Amino acid sequence: MSDKKSKAIEAATKLFAELGFEKTSMTAICKEANVSKGLVYHHFKSKESILIEIFASSTKKMLELSLIQDSSLEPQEELNELINNIFHQLDNNKLFFQLNLNLMFQPSTNALLKEKILKRADILFNSVKRIFDKVELEKSEILAYTFIAEIDGIALNYLSVFENYPLAKMKEEMINKYSSITNKK
């Protein structure tokens, strides 16, 4: 990917996260990236195509976080690794998560990305459920939904509600909570 295309994507990500998709113009993206409109239109047909590329990239990052590659790990190790990855990303890449929240809650972007959002949610759900299948097959589905809801709630509170959110303590609490479930095996 060219440096200027990357700059345009980075600028659009920042502006979509801060202002929202609807309120961000192509002119604003070009100005923020310090690139010409011609260059942006050379790489992207529209603001929507930039959004789709950003969402595809963010989906790839999220899947890298949640899909543990080492199947030899015990369920607790897998879950700890997943929790550590998520909290590390939350702490180190707030913009990425803020953008994803905005995309989910803005009607226009949710409609535009609906199929991709559902596909990503399904992949993430199945990844988490697979871990719980190893320890609590009867309740693995509800445990996966609960785990994802807790992560979503933590992200929402951290990103938009509380100024001094205790992210490290929340991570520790989740690890402790889920270790009691996964250690029942």
Side-chain angles (χ1 to χ4, degrees), residues 72-81 130-135 178 182-183 185:
S72 69
L73 293 176
E74 289 296 316
Q76 183 59 48
E77 293 171 310
E78 278 188 274
L79 210 50
N80 286 352
E81 188 172 325
R130 181 190 54 75
I131 297 170
F132 289 118
D133 282 345
K134 292 179 181 181
V135 291
Y178 285 99
T182 56
N183 287 331
K185 185 180 178 190

Side-chain angles (χ1 to χ4, degrees), residues 47 82 91 96 135 141 147 162:
K47 184 170 76 166
L82 176 59
D91 193 32
F96 165 74
V135 291
E141 185 173 300
F147 180 86
F162 297 104

Side-chain angles (χ1 to χ4, degrees), residues 51-59 100 103 113 116-117 120:
L51 178 68
I52 290 168
E53 183 156 334
I54 290 169
F55 189 80
S57 174
S58 72
T59 295
N100 278 281
L103 296 178
L113 299 168
K116 292 175 182 352
I117 290 170
R120 178 171 76 186

Side-chain angles (χ1 to χ4, degrees), residues 11-46:
T13 301
K14 178 180 183 283
L15 293 171
F16 292 163
E18 292 174 354
L19 306 174
F21 177 74
E22 292 294 330
K23 293 181 181 176
T24 301
S25 67
M26 288 294 271
T27 301
I29 293 169
C30 295
K31 184 177 179 182
E32 179 74 24
N34 198 26
V35 297
S36 71
K37 272 191 179 180
L39 181 118
V40 172
Y41 280 110
H42 172 74
H43 292 290
F44 303 101
K45 291 188 307 190
S46 63

